[in-house]
Amino acid sequence: MTEVSRDRPPHTGSELADLSGIGTQLAARLKALGLVREIDLLLHQPLRYEDRTRLTRLDRIRPGELVQVEGRIAHSEIRRARKRMLIAVLADDHGQILLRFFHFFPSQQKLLSAGNRVRCYGEVRFGREGFELIHPQCQHIDDRGRPALPTRLSPIYPTTAGLAQYRLGRLIADALARAASEQWPLPDPLGAWKDFPDLLNALVEMHQPSPDADLAALIDGHHPAIRRLAIEELLAHHLALARVNQARERQRASRLKDKNQLRKRLLKGLPFKPTAAQTRVSAEIAADLAAERPMRRLLQGDVGSGKTLVAALAMLTAVGAGRQAALVAPTEILAEQHYRTFSDWFEPLGIEPVWLAGKVKGKARTAVLKALAEGAPVAIGTHALFQSGVSFSDLALVVVDEQHRFGVHQRLALADKGRQGEHLPHQLVMTATPIPRTLAMTAYAGLDVSIIDELPPGRQPVTTVVMGEDKRERLIERIRVALKDGRQAYWVCPLIAESEQLEAEAAETTSETLKAQLPDFRIGLIHGRMKPAEKQEVMSEFVSGRIRLLVATTVIEVGVDVPNASLMIIENAERLGLSQLHQLRGRVGRGSDQSACVLLYKPPLGEIAKARLEVMRSTTDGFVIAEKDLELRGPGEVLGTRQTGMLRFRIADLARDADCFDQVKELAGRIDRPGADVLIERWIGPAEAFVEV
Ligand code: ADP
Ligand code: MG
């Protein structure tokens, strides 16, 4: 891949991290929201809006209403009932209302001292002491310089822990003001058409709608301003895809044929026969590899469907043709597992895989780099294989496992290692995240798709139980019985906070508690903050059965294969995405024992959370789960984390905007190349990346 230049075109603005006033911590939090460049701020769609353009008189408020009120604090006190709380009474010329705070800072206490004038926003409730606002947002009003009420509605944005709504709102409002004043010109190749506003007006209407705007339409996306932006976004993706396809026409690759019968020899040595689905997709791949266009194939197959064998057969085709093949996995644990599997499978054929991860250093690393440069046939590793300093002598096939964890750019970087002029290596990307058909086309621009739609024989479907945390005691008994029976179990503590550190601590605490509750069994712990050697030690003890119960963070999510583990407990299940739960659940049900998965939640459970856990309980079909996830959460989530770099619609929604596709095609015909560059840069990123895929 050509180095993507950091000189971004001026219309996408600076990198936020480079702006004065944005420190590294703030920049990291913005990045977690997908906000990296100034333009990203403008494309960040509000979740909802608040009407702060009016004040409501205190004799006209009704329970359930969101209101903004203003008055003087008549009285305030700290009450020590069952809980310590701050109570203040706010009065205007017409009535009064109680303000109640269960958590408060000294600054709030000061703000709410008697005599102060304040403006509050919150939801009216009717309590024992009359009307009240619980935790309203309050602003001090200086009698001398009373701030005017806003004339537009106030946006509320999706944000993340540690990034306050007002801070994010301020950044976006500033960016919008700069664009609106033309200090920061935004090129607008589409302009206004039909009933649709031009870009700037659409952005203003999205971020700061006028008080009479159709709020429901703005939120559900049928408002012309939102549609306008969604169409532009879809158009950008359409244009990028067209470039990918054009570029592919020019690319060449070597034809690969397994001249040494390695595939046949591998299959002969295996204790099982490939399923019909494995055989079918392997043939599709072999046909691609025998052609002179570089293969760009996505292999989709549910967890446990046996993608590894398909990858091995593809790699043997390259090796049998006398070339090199590399396999990359997103985590060290998974890469190591592949390394073990491939070593077992390939060594009898006289092929010794080479292992590279970030932690391979010093002499060992030098030896690995030398082997790769001299043509070692098979490399297995993490993204360390992408890095500079690694070079292959004759790389003809790149396999990327669980590819949704990698960005497009990383995938390109590895392909580039095998570039010889216009010749590119073949690529096979594998994922267990089933992509609903509606998404597959757009999500995997320029990839052909093969699907393994069958599990190896003898698998028992996993029974799933949804359980409130209050039933923990009963659960522990159940685990005791299972462990006594010789089974093994996972206990997963997913991200409960933003930091890996806190996640690790939570897992540690849980493992201590479980050790006390289940003293007769060996309990292990694995999390992302452990050293790779420690992780490997724990994993191998679990694989060998010495560790009976493994407490883990979501690091075990992908790929780990321990057939004897037949019980999976997932804490805080209500906080995880369906696809992620599906992945986790896929760790059990790999042996012949009847397996079970317990989804623990913290009651009370909201409606959507309830619906989602019910989906998990009622089906184990990855496609059904993905479709439901799409329905309940939208495409960004289905495709995994936001930083996938694959598909991330900011505003468009494929289901909602499907009726725009014709219009998108028509607009594509009217846009010239510089215009297309502008749109691709704005919505997706550096346009030059899209000629290389
Ligand atoms: P995934 O698609 O999730 O990567 P794996 O490749 O890890 O699945 O396969 C899951 C398990 O099934 C492994 O233990 C593997 O050896 C086994 N397996 C793969 N193919 C078959 C088959 N055709 N028959 C029986 N077992 C198989
Ligand atoms: Mg796998």
Side-chain angles (χ1 to χ4, degrees), residues 272-275 278 302-308 456 459 561 590:
F272 52 77
K273 271 184 34 198
T275 61
Q278 283 170 318
D302 215 340
V303 272
S305 61
K307 295 184 291 296
T308 316
R459 297 278 166 83
D561 192 20
R590 300 192 149 218

Side-chain angles (χ1 to χ4, degrees), residues 307-308 338 401-402 559:
K307 295 184 291 296
T308 316
H338 280 318
D401 195 14
E402 303 298 348

